[in-house]
Amino acid sequence: PLNGKSGRQIQIGDLVQGPSHPGGEGQVILEVDKTLEQQAVDIANEDLERADDTLQTAQLNYQIAKENLKTTRQTDEANLLSAQAQVKNDQLNVQRDATLLKENLAPQQTFDTDHTTLVRDQQAARLAQVQLEQLKQQAMQVKVQKYNVALDQVAVTNAKSSMEQANTNLGYCTV
């Protein structure tokens, strides 16, 4: 057996073609059956296309995750500010009602209703704060998306290298 540059052994009985009168410069002297090498090129090409598609999807997912984080943060911050403003307003109402109630200028029911509203809005403000804290998890998910993009970039680079190697091996079939 002969070893070609591609590392493939050429055995007696392999399909080999060559000219009947080898001669001048640039003329093909020997051509080994390229079927296996062509299959390797085709597979490497498919792998590269798949890796590139995966990379594009990962990049899109990363962009979407970044935008979602940004808009969710803005929404949650606005909700918190709104809830805090409502709590301040409710506190003023309760103070005003307490003063009026002492002077018998407002019914107990008004004070009770405003106090209940204050408690409800304080809970809403706490919930808005919790939602803002939960953004830390979403930010970590964005980092994971970014990491996935980097991994997929490496996969594309590896697939390109495999494609180049397969094409090189295909070229070694012709001497």
PDB file of all heavy atoms in Angstrom, residues 38-68:
ATOM      1  N   GLN A  38     -14.773  13.376  -1.562  1.00  0.00           N
ATOM      2  CA  GLN A  38     -15.882  14.251  -1.941  1.00  0.00           C
ATOM      3  C   GLN A  38     -17.001  14.173  -0.901  1.00  0.00           C
ATOM      4  O   GLN A  38     -17.615  15.185  -0.559  1.00  0.00           O
ATOM      5  CB  GLN A  38     -16.423  13.891  -3.333  1.00  0.00           C
ATOM      6  CG  GLN A  38     -17.490  14.847  -3.833  1.00  0.00           C
ATOM      7  CD  GLN A  38     -16.990  16.284  -3.934  1.00  0.00           C
ATOM      8  OE1 GLN A  38     -15.987  16.548  -4.575  1.00  0.00           O
ATOM      9  NE2 GLN A  38     -17.689  17.215  -3.296  1.00  0.00           N
ATOM     10  N   GLN A  39     -17.251  12.968  -0.394  1.00  0.00           N
ATOM     11  CA  GLN A  39     -18.248  12.818   0.670  1.00  0.00           C
ATOM     12  C   GLN A  39     -17.821  13.606   1.906  1.00  0.00           C
ATOM     13  O   GLN A  39     -18.652  14.244   2.560  1.00  0.00           O
ATOM     14  CB  GLN A  39     -18.446  11.344   1.023  1.00  0.00           C
ATOM     15  CG  GLN A  39     -19.191  10.563  -0.030  1.00  0.00           C
ATOM     16  CD  GLN A  39     -19.242   9.071   0.283  1.00  0.00           C
ATOM     17  OE1 GLN A  39     -18.532   8.575   1.155  1.00  0.00           O
ATOM     18  NE2 GLN A  39     -20.071   8.349  -0.465  1.00  0.00           N
ATOM     19  N   ALA A  40     -16.545  13.559   2.230  1.00  0.00           N
ATOM     20  CA  ALA A  40     -16.036  14.315   3.382  1.00  0.00           C
ATOM     21  C   ALA A  40     -16.225  15.814   3.167  1.00  0.00           C
ATOM     22  O   ALA A  40     -16.587  16.546   4.095  1.00  0.00           O
ATOM     23  CB  ALA A  40     -14.567  13.982   3.631  1.00  0.00           C
ATOM     24  N   VAL A  41     -15.994  16.285   1.936  1.00  0.00           N
ATOM     25  CA  VAL A  41     -16.206  17.705   1.618  1.00  0.00           C
ATOM     26  C   VAL A  41     -17.684  18.057   1.774  1.00  0.00           C
ATOM     27  O   VAL A  41     -18.040  19.081   2.369  1.00  0.00           O
ATOM     28  CB  VAL A  41     -15.712  18.040   0.194  1.00  0.00           C
ATOM     29  CG1 VAL A  41     -16.195  19.413  -0.255  1.00  0.00           C
ATOM     30  CG2 VAL A  41     -14.189  17.971   0.136  1.00  0.00           C
ATOM     31  N   ASP A  42     -18.559  17.200   1.252  1.00  0.00           N
ATOM     32  CA  ASP A  42     -19.998  17.449   1.345  1.00  0.00           C
ATOM     33  C   ASP A  42     -20.465  17.494   2.806  1.00  0.00           C
ATOM     34  O   ASP A  42     -21.238  18.374   3.198  1.00  0.00           O
ATOM     35  CB  ASP A  42     -20.787  16.385   0.580  1.00  0.00           C
ATOM     36  CG  ASP A  42     -20.530  16.439  -0.928  1.00  0.00           C
ATOM     37  OD1 ASP A  42     -20.025  17.475  -1.420  1.00  0.00           O
ATOM     38  OD2 ASP A  42     -20.837  15.439  -1.611  1.00  0.00           O
ATOM     39  N   ILE A  43     -19.986  16.571   3.609  1.00  0.00           N
ATOM     40  CA  ILE A  43     -20.353  16.536   5.032  1.00  0.00           C
ATOM     41  C   ILE A  43     -19.820  17.774   5.749  1.00  0.00           C
ATOM     42  O   ILE A  43     -20.524  18.398   6.540  1.00  0.00           O
ATOM     43  CB  ILE A  43     -19.835  15.237   5.692  1.00  0.00           C
ATOM     44  CG1 ILE A  43     -20.631  14.038   5.170  1.00  0.00           C
ATOM     45  CG2 ILE A  43     -19.918  15.331   7.220  1.00  0.00           C
ATOM     46  CD1 ILE A  43     -20.050  12.690   5.553  1.00  0.00           C
ATOM     47  N   ALA A  44     -18.571  18.133   5.452  1.00  0.00           N
ATOM     48  CA  ALA A  44     -17.980  19.321   6.087  1.00  0.00           C
ATOM     49  C   ALA A  44     -18.756  20.571   5.690  1.00  0.00           C
ATOM     50  O   ALA A  44     -18.968  21.473   6.517  1.00  0.00           O
ATOM     51  CB  ALA A  44     -16.505  19.447   5.695  1.00  0.00           C
ATOM     52  N   ASN A  45     -19.203  20.644   4.447  1.00  0.00           N
ATOM     53  CA  ASN A  45     -19.988  21.786   3.984  1.00  0.00           C
ATOM     54  C   ASN A  45     -21.326  21.857   4.729  1.00  0.00           C
ATOM     55  O   ASN A  45     -21.752  22.929   5.167  1.00  0.00           O
ATOM     56  CB  ASN A  45     -20.214  21.698   2.475  1.00  0.00           C
ATOM     57  CG  ASN A  45     -20.868  22.946   1.929  1.00  0.00           C
ATOM     58  OD1 ASN A  45     -20.505  24.052   2.293  1.00  0.00           O
ATOM     59  ND2 ASN A  45     -21.837  22.756   1.051  1.00  0.00           N
ATOM     60  N   GLU A  46     -21.983  20.714   4.890  1.00  0.00           N
ATOM     61  CA  GLU A  46     -23.245  20.675   5.638  1.00  0.00           C
ATOM     62  C   GLU A  46     -23.027  21.073   7.097  1.00  0.00           C
ATOM     63  O   GLU A  46     -23.833  21.809   7.679  1.00  0.00           O
ATOM     64  CB  GLU A  46     -23.864  19.279   5.554  1.00  0.00           C
ATOM     65  CG  GLU A  46     -24.386  18.940   4.172  1.00  0.00           C
ATOM     66  CD  GLU A  46     -24.782  17.473   4.033  1.00  0.00           C
ATOM     67  OE1 GLU A  46     -24.756  16.732   5.044  1.00  0.00           O
ATOM     68  OE2 GLU A  46     -25.100  17.065   2.898  1.00  0.00           O
ATOM     69  N   ASP A  47     -21.937  20.585   7.687  1.00  0.00           N
ATOM     70  CA  ASP A  47     -21.618  20.934   9.074  1.00  0.00           C
ATOM     71  C   ASP A  47     -21.383  22.438   9.216  1.00  0.00           C
ATOM     72  O   ASP A  47     -21.824  23.057  10.191  1.00  0.00           O
ATOM     73  CB  ASP A  47     -20.392  20.165   9.565  1.00  0.00           C
ATOM     74  CG  ASP A  47     -20.666  18.688   9.777  1.00  0.00           C
ATOM     75  OD1 ASP A  47     -21.849  18.281   9.797  1.00  0.00           O
ATOM     76  OD2 ASP A  47     -19.681  17.921   9.909  1.00  0.00           O
ATOM     77  N   LEU A  48     -20.700  23.015   8.238  1.00  0.00           N
ATOM     78  CA  LEU A  48     -20.443  24.456   8.271  1.00  0.00           C
ATOM     79  C   LEU A  48     -21.751  25.241   8.158  1.00  0.00           C
ATOM     80  O   LEU A  48     -21.970  26.207   8.894  1.00  0.00           O
ATOM     81  CB  LEU A  48     -19.477  24.858   7.145  1.00  0.00           C
ATOM     82  CG  LEU A  48     -19.169  26.351   7.012  1.00  0.00           C
ATOM     83  CD1 LEU A  48     -18.607  26.910   8.317  1.00  0.00           C
ATOM     84  CD2 LEU A  48     -18.215  26.589   5.851  1.00  0.00           C
ATOM     85  N   GLU A  49     -22.609  24.837   7.246  1.00  0.00           N
ATOM     86  CA  GLU A  49     -23.901  25.516   7.101  1.00  0.00           C
ATOM     87  C   GLU A  49     -24.722  25.419   8.390  1.00  0.00           C
ATOM     88  O   GLU A  49     -25.323  26.396   8.833  1.00  0.00           O
ATOM     89  CB  GLU A  49     -24.688  24.918   5.927  1.00  0.00           C
ATOM     90  CG  GLU A  49     -24.131  25.299   4.575  1.00  0.00           C
ATOM     91  CD  GLU A  49     -24.871  24.630   3.424  1.00  0.00           C
ATOM     92  OE1 GLU A  49     -25.947  24.031   3.653  1.00  0.00           O
ATOM     93  OE2 GLU A  49     -24.362  24.706   2.291  1.00  0.00           O
ATOM     94  N   ARG A  50     -24.738  24.235   9.004  1.00  0.00           N
ATOM     95  CA  ARG A  50     -25.484  24.028  10.246  1.00  0.00           C
ATOM     96  C   ARG A  50     -24.899  24.880  11.380  1.00  0.00           C
ATOM     97  O   ARG A  50     -25.626  25.523  12.129  1.00  0.00           O
ATOM     98  CB  ARG A  50     -25.469  22.543  10.606  1.00  0.00           C
ATOM     99  CG  ARG A  50     -26.411  22.156  11.706  1.00  0.00           C
ATOM    100  CD  ARG A  50     -26.516  20.641  11.951  1.00  0.00           C
ATOM    101  NE  ARG A  50     -25.448  19.801  11.456  1.00  0.00           N
ATOM    102  CZ  ARG A  50     -25.483  19.116  10.313  1.00  0.00           C
ATOM    103  NH1 ARG A  50     -26.517  19.185   9.530  1.00  0.00           N
ATOM    104  NH2 ARG A  50     -24.449  18.365   9.951  1.00  0.00           N
ATOM    105  N   ALA A  51     -23.572  24.918  11.472  1.00  0.00           N
ATOM    106  CA  ALA A  51     -22.921  25.721  12.512  1.00  0.00           C
ATOM    107  C   ALA A  51     -23.201  27.204  12.303  1.00  0.00           C
ATOM    108  O   ALA A  51     -23.453  27.945  13.258  1.00  0.00           O
ATOM    109  CB  ALA A  51     -21.410  25.459  12.529  1.00  0.00           C
ATOM    110  N   ASP A  52     -23.187  27.644  11.046  1.00  0.00           N
ATOM    111  CA  ASP A  52     -23.470  29.046  10.740  1.00  0.00           C
ATOM    112  C   ASP A  52     -24.923  29.392  11.085  1.00  0.00           C
ATOM    113  O   ASP A  52     -25.194  30.456  11.645  1.00  0.00           O
ATOM    114  CB  ASP A  52     -23.169  29.331   9.269  1.00  0.00           C
ATOM    115  CG  ASP A  52     -23.176  30.813   8.969  1.00  0.00           C
ATOM    116  OD1 ASP A  52     -22.543  31.577   9.732  1.00  0.00           O
ATOM    117  OD2 ASP A  52     -23.815  31.220   7.979  1.00  0.00           O
ATOM    118  N   ASP A  53     -25.847  28.499  10.751  1.00  0.00           N
ATOM    119  CA  ASP A  53     -27.263  28.717  11.099  1.00  0.00           C
ATOM    120  C   ASP A  53     -27.446  28.799  12.619  1.00  0.00           C
ATOM    121  O   ASP A  53     -28.175  29.653  13.122  1.00  0.00           O
ATOM    122  CB  ASP A  53     -28.146  27.597  10.539  1.00  0.00           C
ATOM    123  CG  ASP A  53     -28.285  27.652   9.025  1.00  0.00           C
ATOM    124  OD1 ASP A  53     -27.949  28.698   8.422  1.00  0.00           O
ATOM    125  OD2 ASP A  53     -28.723  26.637   8.434  1.00  0.00           O
ATOM    126  N   THR A  54     -26.772  27.905  13.329  1.00  0.00           N
ATOM    127  CA  THR A  54     -26.857  27.900  14.790  1.00  0.00           C
ATOM    128  C   THR A  54     -26.295  29.196  15.363  1.00  0.00           C
ATOM    129  O   THR A  54     -26.865  29.774  16.293  1.00  0.00           O
ATOM    130  CB  THR A  54     -26.101  26.683  15.371  1.00  0.00           C
ATOM    131  OG1 THR A  54     -26.675  25.494  14.834  1.00  0.00           O
ATOM    132  CG2 THR A  54     -26.186  26.633  16.884  1.00  0.00           C
ATOM    133  N   LEU A  55     -25.199  29.674  14.796  1.00  0.00           N
ATOM    134  CA  LEU A  55     -24.601  30.933  15.239  1.00  0.00           C
ATOM    135  C   LEU A  55     -25.566  32.093  15.011  1.00  0.00           C
ATOM    136  O   LEU A  55     -25.755  32.931  15.890  1.00  0.00           O
ATOM    137  CB  LEU A  55     -23.278  31.191  14.516  1.00  0.00           C
ATOM    138  CG  LEU A  55     -22.626  32.559  14.774  1.00  0.00           C
ATOM    139  CD1 LEU A  55     -22.324  32.749  16.254  1.00  0.00           C
ATOM    140  CD2 LEU A  55     -21.363  32.705  13.926  1.00  0.00           C
ATOM    141  N   GLN A  56     -26.158  32.144  13.839  1.00  0.00           N
ATOM    142  CA  GLN A  56     -27.098  33.230  13.551  1.00  0.00           C
ATOM    143  C   GLN A  56     -28.284  33.208  14.512  1.00  0.00           C
ATOM    144  O   GLN A  56     -28.734  34.258  14.986  1.00  0.00           O
ATOM    145  CB  GLN A  56     -27.575  33.150  12.100  1.00  0.00           C
ATOM    146  CG  GLN A  56     -26.493  33.513  11.105  1.00  0.00           C
ATOM    147  CD  GLN A  56     -26.966  33.394   9.665  1.00  0.00           C
ATOM    148  OE1 GLN A  56     -28.147  33.473   9.386  1.00  0.00           O
ATOM    149  NE2 GLN A  56     -26.028  33.210   8.754  1.00  0.00           N
ATOM    150  N   THR A  57     -28.784  32.018  14.827  1.00  0.00           N
ATOM    151  CA  THR A  57     -29.882  31.893  15.786  1.00  0.00           C
ATOM    152  C   THR A  57     -29.446  32.354  17.168  1.00  0.00           C
ATOM    153  O   THR A  57     -30.180  33.080  17.850  1.00  0.00           O
ATOM    154  CB  THR A  57     -30.378  30.433  15.837  1.00  0.00           C
ATOM    155  OG1 THR A  57     -30.827  30.049  14.541  1.00  0.00           O
ATOM    156  CG2 THR A  57     -31.509  30.268  16.831  1.00  0.00           C
ATOM    157  N   ALA A  58     -28.249  31.958  17.580  1.00  0.00           N
ATOM    158  CA  ALA A  58     -27.734  32.362  18.896  1.00  0.00           C
ATOM    159  C   ALA A  58     -27.559  33.876  18.964  1.00  0.00           C
ATOM    160  O   ALA A  58     -27.874  34.497  19.986  1.00  0.00           O
ATOM    161  CB  ALA A  58     -26.409  31.656  19.192  1.00  0.00           C
ATOM    162  N   GLN A  59     -27.061  34.474  17.888  1.00  0.00           N
ATOM    163  CA  GLN A  59     -26.895  35.931  17.872  1.00  0.00           C
ATOM    164  C   GLN A  59     -28.243  36.634  17.964  1.00  0.00           C
ATOM    165  O   GLN A  59     -28.381  37.627  18.694  1.00  0.00           O
ATOM    166  CB  GLN A  59     -26.156  36.361  16.598  1.00  0.00           C
ATOM    167  CG  GLN A  59     -24.691  35.979  16.601  1.00  0.00           C
ATOM    168  CD  GLN A  59     -24.013  36.206  15.262  1.00  0.00           C
ATOM    169  OE1 GLN A  59     -24.629  36.099  14.207  1.00  0.00           O
ATOM    170  NE2 GLN A  59     -22.711  36.494  15.303  1.00  0.00           N
ATOM    171  N   LEU A  60     -29.231  36.131  17.263  1.00  0.00           N
ATOM    172  CA  LEU A  60     -30.568  36.711  17.311  1.00  0.00           C
ATOM    173  C   LEU A  60     -31.169  36.562  18.714  1.00  0.00           C
ATOM    174  O   LEU A  60     -31.728  37.526  19.259  1.00  0.00           O
ATOM    175  CB  LEU A  60     -31.477  36.046  16.269  1.00  0.00           C
ATOM    176  CG  LEU A  60     -32.891  36.586  16.172  1.00  0.00           C
ATOM    177  CD1 LEU A  60     -32.894  38.068  15.806  1.00  0.00           C
ATOM    178  CD2 LEU A  60     -33.688  35.781  15.147  1.00  0.00           C
ATOM    179  N   ASN A  61     -31.026  35.379  19.304  1.00  0.00           N
ATOM    180  CA  ASN A  61     -31.532  35.159  20.664  1.00  0.00           C
ATOM    181  C   ASN A  61     -30.859  36.082  21.673  1.00  0.00           C
ATOM    182  O   ASN A  61     -31.507  36.584  22.597  1.00  0.00           O
ATOM    183  CB  ASN A  61     -31.347  33.696  21.076  1.00  0.00           C
ATOM    184  CG  ASN A  61     -32.311  32.779  20.374  1.00  0.00           C
ATOM    185  OD1 ASN A  61     -33.365  33.191  19.904  1.00  0.00           O
ATOM    186  ND2 ASN A  61     -31.956  31.515  20.283  1.00  0.00           N
ATOM    187  N   TYR A  62     -29.569  36.306  21.492  1.00  0.00           N
ATOM    188  CA  TYR A  62     -28.833  37.208  22.386  1.00  0.00           C
ATOM    189  C   TYR A  62     -29.360  38.641  22.251  1.00  0.00           C
ATOM    190  O   TYR A  62     -29.602  39.317  23.249  1.00  0.00           O
ATOM    191  CB  TYR A  62     -27.333  37.139  22.059  1.00  0.00           C
ATOM    192  CG  TYR A  62     -26.488  38.141  22.797  1.00  0.00           C
ATOM    193  CD1 TYR A  62     -26.446  38.167  24.189  1.00  0.00           C
ATOM    194  CD2 TYR A  62     -25.710  39.069  22.101  1.00  0.00           C
ATOM    195  CE1 TYR A  62     -25.661  39.085  24.867  1.00  0.00           C
ATOM    196  CE2 TYR A  62     -24.921  39.984  22.770  1.00  0.00           C
ATOM    197  CZ  TYR A  62     -24.899  39.991  24.146  1.00  0.00           C
ATOM    198  OH  TYR A  62     -24.124  40.911  24.814  1.00  0.00           O
ATOM    199  N   GLN A  63     -29.561  39.094  21.013  1.00  0.00           N
ATOM    200  CA  GLN A  63     -30.089  40.456  20.803  1.00  0.00           C
ATOM    201  C   GLN A  63     -31.485  40.602  21.411  1.00  0.00           C
ATOM    202  O   GLN A  63     -31.783  41.613  22.050  1.00  0.00           O
ATOM    203  CB  GLN A  63     -30.139  40.780  19.302  1.00  0.00           C
ATOM    204  CG  GLN A  63     -28.779  41.006  18.679  1.00  0.00           C
ATOM    205  CD  GLN A  63     -28.024  42.130  19.354  1.00  0.00           C
ATOM    206  OE1 GLN A  63     -27.050  41.878  20.067  1.00  0.00           O
ATOM    207  NE2 GLN A  63     -28.443  43.347  19.175  1.00  0.00           N
ATOM    208  N   ILE A  64     -32.324  39.594  21.216  1.00  0.00           N
ATOM    209  CA  ILE A  64     -33.678  39.631  21.778  1.00  0.00           C
ATOM    210  C   ILE A  64     -33.611  39.664  23.300  1.00  0.00           C
ATOM    211  O   ILE A  64     -34.326  40.443  23.944  1.00  0.00           O
ATOM    212  CB  ILE A  64     -34.502  38.425  21.282  1.00  0.00           C
ATOM    213  CG1 ILE A  64     -34.815  38.584  19.789  1.00  0.00           C
ATOM    214  CG2 ILE A  64     -35.785  38.267  22.088  1.00  0.00           C
ATOM    215  CD1 ILE A  64     -35.401  37.340  19.146  1.00  0.00           C
ATOM    216  N   ALA A  65     -32.756  38.843  23.880  1.00  0.00           N
ATOM    217  CA  ALA A  65     -32.625  38.794  25.342  1.00  0.00           C
ATOM    218  C   ALA A  65     -32.149  40.141  25.887  1.00  0.00           C
ATOM    219  O   ALA A  65     -32.643  40.606  26.927  1.00  0.00           O
ATOM    220  CB  ALA A  65     -31.664  37.677  25.753  1.00  0.00           C
ATOM    221  N   LYS A  66     -31.195  40.768  25.191  1.00  0.00           N
ATOM    222  CA  LYS A  66     -30.707  42.093  25.634  1.00  0.00           C
ATOM    223  C   LYS A  66     -31.829  43.124  25.591  1.00  0.00           C
ATOM    224  O   LYS A  66     -32.007  43.907  26.532  1.00  0.00           O
ATOM    225  CB  LYS A  66     -29.547  42.563  24.752  1.00  0.00           C
ATOM    226  CG  LYS A  66     -28.225  41.990  25.122  1.00  0.00           C
ATOM    227  CD  LYS A  66     -27.026  42.523  24.391  1.00  0.00           C
ATOM    228  CE  LYS A  66     -27.192  43.538  23.330  1.00  0.00           C
ATOM    229  NZ  LYS A  66     -25.953  43.951  22.665  1.00  0.00           N
ATOM    230  N   GLU A  67     -32.578  43.139  24.502  1.00  0.00           N
ATOM    231  CA  GLU A  67     -33.679  44.103  24.369  1.00  0.00           C
ATOM    232  C   GLU A  67     -34.770  43.844  25.392  1.00  0.00           C
ATOM    233  O   GLU A  67     -35.326  44.783  25.971  1.00  0.00           O
ATOM    234  CB  GLU A  67     -34.261  44.073  22.947  1.00  0.00           C
ATOM    235  CG  GLU A  67     -33.337  44.681  21.918  1.00  0.00           C
ATOM    236  CD  GLU A  67     -32.986  46.132  22.205  1.00  0.00           C
ATOM    237  OE1 GLU A  67     -33.883  46.930  22.529  1.00  0.00           O
ATOM    238  OE2 GLU A  67     -31.788  46.474  22.113  1.00  0.00           O
ATOM    239  N   ASN A  68     -35.085  42.565  25.623  1.00  0.00           N
ATOM    240  CA  ASN A  68     -36.094  42.230  26.636  1.00  0.00           C
ATOM    241  C   ASN A  68     -35.659  42.687  28.024  1.00  0.00           C
ATOM    242  O   ASN A  68     -36.474  43.210  28.793  1.00  0.00           O
ATOM    243  CB  ASN A  68     -36.379  40.728  26.638  1.00  0.00           C
ATOM    244  CG  ASN A  68     -37.239  40.286  25.489  1.00  0.00           C
ATOM    245  OD1 ASN A  68     -37.904  41.090  24.834  1.00  0.00           O
ATOM    246  ND2 ASN A  68     -37.221  39.003  25.201  1.00  0.00           N
TER     247      ASN A  68
END
